[in-house]
């Protein structure tokens, strides 16, 4: 019996258990007062039936391969048994392939082990099905016997649901921890090869370490300042575009626009947020970049066709809806009572907005801007396509520049070895990026929460 | 139709009262979209008196109050007919600047609504936007006088730079009163100013209202008949969008002409 059939059977049984529990509760209800609704008793029995069995199944699946492996190793030829763990894994993979009939090479010495493997898998599958279904049936019977009128089934079910919800929320935290841990290890390996001081203060970025010593450009310099500077510049340009436009758009939609205009403008602005960044990327690279270059030519400026300005401008456009949508929300959240108070003192509409509404919404707006900044720092596709690769340390936005995200993307594209500083540098950059955006998000959330507290 | 109604009112009303009244409403009718909230209300509000508007919830008393400083303008679906004269000038007439009007007719709301600024800045807001103070010294002076008149100065003089929202409910409401009087209005409209306050804070505000009568004309909407009886000289009773009866407070409470007023005061309706 394969896994899909088994899970389906389990679900069917749980559904049956639900009916059984519900029926029993309904029968009890004819002469007693129940402590919960019949559906709660149904859910209660279904959980008794399904949960222990499912837990057992999961444990079995985790333990199965380990146990089978241990038993198979005994059947391997003597010379294979003494191999190092990594090589032993390869041999065992081959055994599994022979058993499945997908092996590439004939190797009779492994035939015995393969036969053993097949036999063990067969036994395991059967045993698994029997044990799990037995557990489910036992759970159903036990649960059904537990159903009495005074059983507080709702409490039990809700406790369990609460537990499940909590587990789901912990998932996000575990995900973050996992990501950090995976980057952290590689980052540490990188800093064993390149000193942190050189990385954080060096002015030259040239990560192309050569495979052969005599190759051109084999030096490999890992001074990340030019890369950080590129990110900072493009982010700055993007924010110069996005913050004023986004904020003014938000003020318009929240305060001035008629309900009908608002109903049209807001979704249209949010369409911008739905455009894939890769589309923005070629808009920047094929339209904005060359246009800027031509414009520069006409007024005698030397503009690179891949310029920080082009990437920054387009990124700014991309970020407008983040700023406008969040700001619009916080401006709308400013209590009407404050506006009324200001109007009643004889304020004009612009005075109300500038002197009362915006200061009251300031925390939220700052939060929105910080979230937008962290979004700009992490944005990859636009800069990959439009900003260039050369790490020039220059304050001229008309030149090509590069960003942290671009470097990560280029360092990890293609075949790489995971022990060279070049590849590992990507993780160090990623770590810095992660820390920066994490810090910004934490600050932004704090600011926003503090703002919310003021009105609740 | 509204025009003819207005003309009739003008004819029946003796010209003299229109002159002595600080605010005179003639045939005021208000609609929220298609729903009529106020029907043909005519009343005079005399200067340097407290006029109480009483009546059950939804009777239109707050709507009428908000007509007097055109706060209803901020509600898009609201339509006002008839005329309201302040010192003889129709505030709904052409050429009336609503910003100036509201500076002359201040308002205090049901729930204290101090701005999220310091106590000083709350009071200084009005003088600043209207350019009433020429320099910092004059502004300080206005703020202090206003807070003193609102009976709040002694409690806050050492913490003028702290947030106005950090005060207690009663203090916040007095701050809002100080904010309103800082622009030297002629009339102060109060929309149930004590409904969110405890009895002690309420008593404090009521005392204050009595003191303010000397300098300002006050119109107060209240749900509490005791409050109306305590603070007002004139009372108007509204019911279902109609002004049922108006008169001296004492007369309304002891000897009402209309049966509906009698019923409301004795608790039979509302």
């Amino acid at each position: 019996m394969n896994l899909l059939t088994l899970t389906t059977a389990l679900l069917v049984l749980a559904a049956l258990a639900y009916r059984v529990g519900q029926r029993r509760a309904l029968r009890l209800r004819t002469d007693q007062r129940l402590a919960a609704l019949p559906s709660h008793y149904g859910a209660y029995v279904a959980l008794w039936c399904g949960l222990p069995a499912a837990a057992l199944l999961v444990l079995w699946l985790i333990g199965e391969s380990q146990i089978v492996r241990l038993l198979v190793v005994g059947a391997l030829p003597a010379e294979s048994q003494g191999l190092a763990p990594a090589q032993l894994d390869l041999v065992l993979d081959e055994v599994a392939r022979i058993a499945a009939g997908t092996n590439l090479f004939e190797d009779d010495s492994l035939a015995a082990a393969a036969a053993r493997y097949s036999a063990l898998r067969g036994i395991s599958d059967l045993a698994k099905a029997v044990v799990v279904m037995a557990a489910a049936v036992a759970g159903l019977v036990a649960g059904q016997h537990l159903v009495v009128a005074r059983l507080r089934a709702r409490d039990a079910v809700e406790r369990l649901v609460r537990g499940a919800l909590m587990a789901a929320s912990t998932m996000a935290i575990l995900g973050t921890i996992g990501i950090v841990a995976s980057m952290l290890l590689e980052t540490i390996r990188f800093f064993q090869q390149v000193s942190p001081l050189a990385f954080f203060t060096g002015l030259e970025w040239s990560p192309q370490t050569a495979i052969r010593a005599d190759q051109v450009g084999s030096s490999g310099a890992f001074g990340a300042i030019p890369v950080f500077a590129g990110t900072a510049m493009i982010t700055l340009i993007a924010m110069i575009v996005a913050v004023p436009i986004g904020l003014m758009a938000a003020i318009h939609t929240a305060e001035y626009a008629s309900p009908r205009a608002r109903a049209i403008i807001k979704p249209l602005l949010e369409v911008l947020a739905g455009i894939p960044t890769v589309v923005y990327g070629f808009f920047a690279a094929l339209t904005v970049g060359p246009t800027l270059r031509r414009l520069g030519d006409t007024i005698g400026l030397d503009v690179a066709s891949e310029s920080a300005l082009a990437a920054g401008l387009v990124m700014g456009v991309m970020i407008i809806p983040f700023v406008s949508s969040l700001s619009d929300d916080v401006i709308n959240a400013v209590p009407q009572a404050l506006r009324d108070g200001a109007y009643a003192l004889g304020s004009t509409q612009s005075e109300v907005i500038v002197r009362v509404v915006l200061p009251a919404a300031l925390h939220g707006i700052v939060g929105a801007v910080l979230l937008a900044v962290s979004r700009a720092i992490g944005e990859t596709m636009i800069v990959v396509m439009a900003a260039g690769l050369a790490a020039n340390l220059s304050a001229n936005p008309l030149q090509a520049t590069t960003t942290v995200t671009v470097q990560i993307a280029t360092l990890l594209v293609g075949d790489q070895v995971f022990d060279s500083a070049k590849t590992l540098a990507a993780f160090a950059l990623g770590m810095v990026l992660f820390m920066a955006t994490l810090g910004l998000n934490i600050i932004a959330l704090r600011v926003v929460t503090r703002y919310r507290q003021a009105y609740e | 139709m509204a025009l003819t109604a207005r003309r009739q009112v003008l004819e029946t009303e003796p010209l003299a009262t229109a002159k002595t009244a600080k605010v005179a409403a003639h045939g005021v009718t208000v609609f929220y979209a298609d729903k009529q909230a106020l029907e043909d209300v005519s009343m005079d509000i005399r200067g340097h008196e407290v006029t109480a508007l009483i009546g059950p919830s939804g009777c239109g008393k707050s709507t009428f109050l908000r007509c007097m400083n055109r706060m209803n303008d901020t509600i898009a679906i609201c339509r006002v007919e008839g005329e309201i004269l302040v010192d003889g000038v129709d505030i709904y007439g052409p050429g009336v600047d609503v910003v100036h009007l509201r500076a002359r007719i201040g308002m205090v709301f049901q729930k204290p609504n101090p701005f999220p600024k310091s106590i000083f800045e709350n009071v200084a807001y009005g003088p600043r936007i209207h350019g009433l103070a020429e320099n910092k010294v004059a502004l300080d002076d206005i703020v202090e006088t206003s807070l003193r008149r609102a009976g709040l100065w002694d409690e806050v003089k050492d913490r003028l730079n702290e947030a106005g929202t950090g005060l207690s409910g009663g203090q916040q409401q007095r701050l809002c009163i100080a904010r309103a009087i800082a622009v030297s209005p002629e009339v102060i409209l109060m929309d149930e100013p004590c409904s969110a306050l405890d009895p002690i804070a309420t008593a404090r505000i009521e005392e204050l209202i009595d003191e303010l009568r000397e300098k300002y004309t006050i119109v107060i909407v209240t749900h509490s008949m005791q409050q109306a009886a305590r603070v007002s000289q004139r009372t108007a009773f509204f019911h279902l969008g109609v002004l049922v009866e108006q008169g001296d407070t004492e007369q309304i409470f002891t000897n009402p002409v209309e049966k509906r007023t009698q019923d409301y005061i004795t608790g039979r309706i509302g």
Side-chain angles (χ1 to χ4, degrees):
Chain A
M1 199 186 274
N2 69 21
L3 196 57
L4 186 65
T5 337
L6 193 56
T7 7
T8 315
L10 201 56
L11 285 176
V12 169
L13 207 59
L16 184 76
Y18 180 87
R19 297 287 297 164
V20 169
Q22 201 184 22
R23 284 275 169 82
R24 196 175 151 88
L26 283 170
R27 254 200 326 280
L28 286 173
R29 199 158 73 166
T30 52
D31 53 352
Q32 298 174 66
R33 252 185 83 83
L34 293 185
L37 294 174
S39 59
H40 290 130
Y41 290 95
Y44 183 78
V45 178
L47 288 171
W48 261 99
C49 167
L51 269 195
L56 208 59
L57 179 60
V58 170
L59 285 179
W60 194 292
L61 288 173
I62 292 170
E64 187 179 37
S65 58
Q66 287 299 315
I67 294 165
V68 169
R69 189 188 137 116
L70 272 178
L71 295 173
V72 171
V73 168
L76 285 176
E79 74 270 17
S80 303
Q81 289 190 23
L83 287 170
Q87 282 165 314
L88 194 61
D89 278 346
L90 290 176
V91 174
L92 286 168
D93 285 350
E94 184 63 17
V95 168
R97 276 197 293 276
I98 292 171
T102 56
N103 55 321
L104 298 172
F105 310 107
E106 292 297 327
D107 189 347
D108 290 337
S109 65
L110 295 176
R116 177 107 184 236
Y117 179 82
S118 302
L120 284 170
R121 290 304 292 229
I123 294 169
S124 170
D125 274 355
L126 189 66
K128 179 168 64 189
V130 170
V131 168
V132 167
M133 291 318 280
V137 172
L140 196 164
V141 173
Q144 192 225 5
H145 277 287
L146 285 172
V147 172
V148 289
R150 63 173 191 287
L151 172 72
R152 305 182 69 89
R154 184 174 54 82
D155 289 357
V157 171
E158 282 180 357
R159 225 178 359 255
L160 203 104
V161 170
R162 260 206 315 276
L165 294 178
M166 202 178 91
S169 66
T170 346
M171 250 359 219
I173 301 170
L174 287 180
T176 313
I177 293 174
I179 290 170
V180 173
S182 72
M183 280 199 303
L184 196 62
L185 289 179
E186 310 295 346
T187 307
I188 290 170
R189 283 175 63 194
F190 172 74
F191 283 128
Q192 282 164 356
Q193 297 184 25
V194 175
S195 91
L197 192 71
F199 180 73
F200 285 111
T201 61
L203 299 180
E204 197 192 341
W205 178 261
S206 165
Q208 298 304 328
T209 43
I211 297 165
R212 294 191 320 275
D214 56 345
Q215 214 170 311
V216 177
S218 61
S219 54
F222 293 95
I225 291 282
V227 183
F228 296 148
T231 290
M233 178 155 68
I234 291 186
T235 304
L236 184 71
I237 295 171
M239 297 323 284
I240 288 173
V241 173
V243 172
I245 296 182
L247 195 55
M248 288 194 281
I251 290 170
H252 177 257
T253 51
E255 296 286 333
Y256 288 105
S258 67
R260 257 184 60 198
R262 183 181 152 84
I264 297 168
I265 294 171
K266 245 200 131 179
L268 277 181
L269 262 178
E270 278 156 12
V271 163
L272 281 180
I275 298 173
T277 54
V278 74
V279 175
Y280 278 110
F282 59 66
F283 176 60
L286 301 181
T287 311
V288 178
T291 308
L292 286 176
R293 190 189 164 87
R294 270 198 303 279
L295 271 178
D297 280 347
T298 55
I299 56 171
L301 274 175
D302 186 22
V303 184
S305 45
E306 287 188 326
S307 67
L309 190 60
L313 286 179
V314 173
M315 196 191 281
V317 172
M318 182 197 85
I319 287 171
I320 288 172
F322 288 86
V323 178
S324 72
S325 185
L326 285 168
S327 303
D328 181 77
D329 288 347
V330 295
I331 290 173
N332 269 319
V334 171
Q336 183 61 32
L338 286 186
R339 293 189 178 87
D340 284 348
Y343 279 123
L345 286 167
S347 312
T348 62
Q349 190 169 10
S350 61
E351 281 166 348
V352 173
I353 293 167
V354 173
R355 289 172 179 259
V356 176
V357 175
L358 288 185
L362 190 64
H363 289 294
I365 292 169
V366 169
V369 169
L370 289 181
L371 287 176
V373 169
S374 88
R375 170 90 201 180
I377 292 177
E379 170 50 38
T380 310
M381 219 50 225
I382 294 176
V383 279
V384 164
M385 294 172 80
L389 278 175
N392 302 319
L393 185 55
S394 153
N396 181 359
L398 305 178
Q399 280 186 355
T401 185
T402 191
T403 71
V404 176
T405 47
V406 171
Q407 288 305 315
I408 294 174
T410 44
L411 289 176
L412 289 180
V413 166
D415 290 338
Q416 303 293 347
V417 275
F418 268 75
D419 55 359
S420 86
K422 178 196 166 196
T423 316
L424 294 173
F427 291 92
L429 286 175
M431 198 69 188
V432 172
L433 198 62
F434 176 79
M435 288 300 172
T437 49
L438 183 72
L440 276 174
N441 281 339
I442 289 175
I443 295 171
L445 287 178
R446 281 221 168 155
V447 169
V448 171
T449 343
R450 237 186 39 210
Y451 153 75
R452 284 214 185 106
Q453 279 164 356
Y455 294 111
E456 276 167 11
Chain B
M1 153 86 202
L3 262 176
T4 51
R6 184 188 296 177
R7 202 157 295 135
Q8 277 168 3
V9 170
L10 280 174
E11 280 159 13
T12 52
E13 208 75 30
L15 202 63
T17 47
K19 268 187 182 162
T20 52
K22 180 73 189 168
V23 182
H26 295 150
V28 173
T29 299
V30 178
F31 294 90
Y32 291 114
D34 294 332
K35 199 176 159 291
Q36 189 165 11
L38 218 53
E39 194 186 339
D40 195 21
V41 172
S42 298
M43 75 180 285
D44 289 346
I45 288 159
R46 295 190 207 140
H48 301 285
E49 276 190 356
V50 178
T51 304
L53 311 181
I54 61 169
S57 296
C59 68
K61 55 193 189 302
S62 286
T63 299
F64 181 62
L65 190 77
R66 291 168 65 93
C67 285
M68 283 188 269
N69 65 344
R70 290 183 53 178
M71 277 303 280
N72 284 331
D73 290 13
T74 59
I75 302 167
I77 56 165
C78 182
R79 204 171 82 243
V80 180
E81 291 170 2
E83 63 178 11
I84 295 177
L85 309 176
V86 175
D87 289 339
V89 178
D90 184 6
I91 60 169
Y92 284 90
V96 170
D97 185 349
V98 69
V99 166
H100 284 143
L101 172 73
R102 290 184 189 142
R104 286 173 61 202
I105 303 187
M107 188 166 195
V108 175
F109 295 83
Q110 190 170 354
K111 236 180 97 189
N113 57 351
F115 301 136
K117 300 168 183 281
S118 70
I119 293 169
F120 182 90
E121 286 300 325
N122 261 283
V123 183
Y125 176 88
R128 274 196 212 279
I129 59 168
H130 295 297
L132 298 183
E134 278 169 14
N135 49 43
K136 177 80 175 105
V137 180
L139 188 63
D140 285 349
D141 197 46
I142 293 177
V143 170
E144 182 177 340
T145 318
S146 307
L147 283 169
R148 276 191 196 283
R149 284 207 191 124
L152 193 61
W153 176 253
D154 291 332
E155 291 160 60
V156 300
K157 63 180 176 212
D158 298 323
R159 45 174 177 152
L160 290 174
N161 290 319
E162 286 173 30
T165 42
L167 296 171
S168 74
Q171 288 173 325
Q172 287 189 16
Q173 195 61 300
R174 275 181 281 148
L175 178 62
C176 292
I177 293 174
R179 185 175 71 183
I181 58 190
V183 286
S184 308
E186 296 153 35
V187 181
I188 301 176
L189 310 174
M190 298 187 170
D191 191 355
E192 298 181 44
C194 302
S195 66
L197 305 180
D198 64 63
I200 294 169
T202 300
R204 191 77 192 73
I205 303 265
E206 287 180 4
E207 268 172 48
L208 181 59
I209 291 171
D210 204 47
E211 290 162 20
L212 291 175
R213 175 161 68 96
E214 209 178 297
K215 290 192 79 83
Y216 311 97
T217 301
I218 294 173
V219 186
I220 178 171
V221 164
T222 177
H223 259 123
S224 153
M225 282 173 283
Q226 291 87 336
Q227 185 170 67
R230 281 193 299 264
V231 302
S232 72
Q233 285 73 50
R234 301 270 296 173
T235 296
F237 170 61
F238 285 75
H239 186 50
L240 301 175
V242 176
L243 172 58
V244 177
E245 184 172 356
Q246 53 178 321
D248 288 340
T249 299
E250 210 180 314
Q251 175 252 316
I252 294 278
F253 279 95
T254 53
N255 190 19
V257 176
E258 292 280 333
K259 184 171 180 309
R260 276 181 293 172
T261 316
Q262 170 93 39
D263 286 349
Y264 180 68
I265 287 164
T266 52
R268 235 167 276 158
I269 55 171

